[in-house]
Amino acid sequence: MLQAFNPANEHIKVYIDGHLLPRAEAKVSVFDSSVQGGDAVWEGLRVYDGRVFSLDAHLDRLFDSAHALWFQNVPSRETVVDAIKQTLEANDMRDDVHIRLTLTRGEKITSGMDPRLNQHGCTLIVLAEHKPPVYPDSITLATSSVRRNSPMSVDSKIHHNNLINNIMAKIEANQAGADAGLMLDKDGFVSEANGVNVFLIRRGKVRTPWADYCLPGITRATVLQLCRDNGIPCEEARISPSEFYVADEVFTTGTMGELTPVRAIDGREIVNKYGASVLDTVQDLFRGLTQSGGTKLV
């Protein structure tokens, strides 16, 4: 799976610290912390009919991540929301839009690792693109040799820009001819895929790995809540790769791709022996929520 360039995005305007700049001119300083050390946090947002889905939850995570990394002079919540609104309006975007919202530690006075060199405040970037859900009707996964970060290194609950861990897993998946890499924790239990959370369904029960080593995704949390609200058995658990192999249904969740069925893992086809598709029900519930939920901005 490889995303293609969308000509509709050729002349988009990008918000950087109060300025809306044409794509070709949208740049940050070589002294910015995102360039110097991947020192930034980010969120992926999706827009449905002028409404930003789960905006508050995404902003909560953005500010929590910035606080955990000790960012200083963070812009206000109102500033961030207004920047998103300005960007959507400037690009006349209302639907089938994905936003990459980035907050860096900011520009340094000179090259170096010390956060005390960041004396200009954070850099706020809003990149909105015309982008429907990017995944095909179903995808394949290949288990990666790259282990997902534990809290002993960089806690995966911090939604930071240093994505080398995930990118290495994606490279392995590419080499294996799969769409995404399935990442395990240090004990060999499934954590998540390189860019999305993963779920399995077995005999009517929806299950997903504990968020010990994985990002507790917003779409992941939405799916769990939808299951609870609609009487669908669900749980978080330690789950081994073999349990995914023999599941009736497997799917991934994420803002960019929504809910995507997995048809095979490591060459093992996912066969529904249960009969009825629980995933179809969950997808219908999720689509219904996107048609009515969200924060109206444009």
Side-chain angles (χ1 to χ4, degrees):
M1 182 198 74
L2 178 63
Q3 294 186 57
F5 172 70
N6 184 348
N9 294 318
E10 186 172 0
H11 300 293
I12 57 172
K13 294 180 179 178
V14 181
Y15 179 103
I16 302 179
D17 280 346
H19 302 284
L20 283 160
L21 303 169
R23 175 181 178 140
E25 300 173 21
K27 300 175 175 64
V28 296
S29 169
V30 293
F31 288 98
D32 193 88
S33 290
S34 59
V35 178
Q36 296 249 330
D39 192 3
V41 296
W42 68 283
E43 289 294 320
L45 309 172
R46 184 160 286 286
V47 183
Y48 300 88
D49 191 24
R51 293 171 285 102
V52 182
F53 191 67
S54 298
L55 177 60
D56 287 336
H58 281 287
L59 292 182
D60 285 346
R61 189 170 65 185
L62 181 81
F63 288 113
D64 284 349
S65 294
H67 183 72
L69 292 178
W70 200 70
F71 281 16
Q72 302 298 303
N73 300 312
V74 175
S76 69
R77 196 180 188 97
E78 293 74 21
T79 297
V80 176
V81 172
D82 183 62
I84 296 169
K85 187 175 188 296
Q86 286 186 48
T87 306
L88 292 174
E89 289 177 343
N91 289 292
D92 193 24
M93 292 175 169
R94 290 186 49 82
D95 203 23
D96 272 345
V97 174
H98 181 270
I99 300 172
R100 177 84 172 209
L101 177 65
T102 303
L103 185 68
T104 87
R105 195 183 296 274
E107 188 177 334
K108 295 176 178 290
I109 59 172
T110 186
S111 295
M113 194 177 296
D114 192 337
R116 291 174 297 181
L117 299 175
N118 293 82
Q119 298 175 16
H120 301 289
C122 294
T123 300
L124 176 63
I125 304 168
V126 184
L127 170 59
E129 295 180 276
H130 297 284
K131 184 177 290 191
V134 300
Y135 287 110
D137 292 339
S138 65
I139 62 172
T140 60
L141 304 178
T143 301
S144 173
S145 68
V146 181
R147 294 296 184 257
R148 194 67 178 95
N149 291 339
S150 83
M152 293 185 293
S153 50
V154 181
D155 195 341
S156 296
K157 295 177 187 63
I158 301 173
H159 206 201
H160 55 80
N161 274 46
N162 199 322
L163 299 174
I164 293 299
N165 183 244
N166 308 70
I167 291 169
M168 293 293 288
K170 175 58 176 170
I171 291 170
E172 287 192 347
N174 290 347
Q175 298 294 340
D179 295 302
L182 187 65
M183 303 184 74
L184 312 181
D185 65 22
K186 68 179 181 62
D187 295 319
F189 291 96
V190 172
S191 174
E192 61 180 342
N194 62 269
V196 285
N197 291 121
V198 291
F199 284 76
L200 68 79
I201 303 170
R202 172 81 169 175
R203 295 173 182 167
K205 177 180 281 190
V206 176
R207 307 177 71 209
T208 194
W210 285 107
D212 294 333
Y213 287 73
C214 75
L215 178 75
I218 306 299
T219 309
R220 172 186 181 274
T222 301
V223 167
L224 288 172
Q225 192 61 52
L226 284 172
C227 288
R228 297 185 188 108
D229 291 346
N230 291 276
I232 301 172
C234 65
E235 68 173 5
E236 298 172 271
R238 300 190 84 187
I239 308 173
S240 65
S242 63
E243 292 178 274
F244 274 87
Y245 294 158
V246 300
D248 297 311
E249 297 178 284
V250 176
F251 64 101
T252 65
T253 62
T255 300
M256 190 174 284
E258 299 179 337
L259 278 59
T260 306
V262 175
R263 66 178 181 273
I265 304 174
D266 297 332
R268 279 82 161 179
E269 183 181 356
I270 305 302
V271 180
N272 189 350
K273 303 168 289 297
Y274 182 72
S277 173
V278 177
L279 177 54
D280 284 350
T281 300
V282 177
Q283 284 181 313
D284 287 343
L285 291 169
F286 183 81
R287 290 192 193 101
L289 195 57
T290 63
Q291 290 170 5
S292 60
T295 300
K296 189 77 171 178
L297 288 188
V298 291

